[in-house]
Amino acid sequence: MFRRLGRFLAALALTAATTVACVTLTAGAAQADGCYTWGRTLAQGASGEDVRQLQIRVAGYPGYGAVLTLDGAYGPATRSAVIRFQQAYGLPADGIAGPQTFNRLYALQDDDCTPANFSYPELNKCNSDWSGGAVSASTARFNALVSMWKLQAMRHALGDVAIAISSSFRSYACNSAVGGASNSRHLYGDGVDLVGSPSFCRLAQQARNHGFGQILGPGYPDHNDHTHVAAVGGWSAPNCGI
């Protein structure tokens, strides 16, 4: 927590210094980070791994009913997601990812690239090496990372309230043990079951804005005691108007 606070304060100081000096910095002048450091300002038309890394972190800002493609191409959808991220954190909303945007992302993430309020162990209570599911261990872990960034966006939109996770990645053995569906998104690493407060319906309704292609909640069979979100699969929470 103290490391994140220190990094956040340093980021604020850097932004303030930039404003006072009236100097336009390149992204390389932004605060360095233990996870990933961007080396250039990114805008529509750019492409590359640095764009894909940005897309992962703004995957929770695609707009209602949309899912952001993580293809490394800075197109209109990525620009719109960056604008929504900037608006959410009170930054100049120009759709250009520069030092202020990167510094905010650095302040939000830990050195293992997970967002500040979620962790790999939270999304894997089944098999710590991520093996045994429908995809490779590395793919399952990556899918979980993207889900965490979507949940981070959702959490912030809900007023930075804590979101509790009851189940996420499952191997086939774990999925069978809990009676999960044979095609469950938990097997892919991106399925997440949410419990606690806010209400299940509030979670399901908010999830529509944060890149979840699958939302299952109250009124859907066996989902009255949680809200399930995942990358793909459709929405159904009849008791919540979804």
Side-chain angles (χ1 to χ4, degrees), residues 175-207:
N175 193 58
S176 177
V178 299
S182 61
N183 62 345
S184 171
R185 292 306 303 182
H186 291 284
L187 297 165
Y188 295 82
D190 57 70
V192 188
D193 291 346
L194 310 176
V195 294
S197 180
S199 71
F200 302 143
C201 278
R202 185 73 183 93
L203 291 167
Q205 291 161 351
Q206 188 64 47

Side-chain angles (χ1 to χ4, degrees), residues 33-54:
D33 187 72
C35 162
Y36 185 86
T37 300
W38 283 271
R40 59 172 177 158
T41 293
L42 299 174
Q44 189 167 329
S47 62
E49 177 60 20
D50 52 358
V51 175
R52 193 180 76 95
Q53 290 294 327
L54 174 65

Side-chain angles (χ1 to χ4, degrees), residues 124 126-133 135-137 140 169-172:
N124 186 352
C126 164
N127 185 347
S128 61
D129 67 5
W130 299 88
S131 65
V135 293
S136 69
F169 170 72
R170 299 174 191 160
S171 65
Y172 278 107

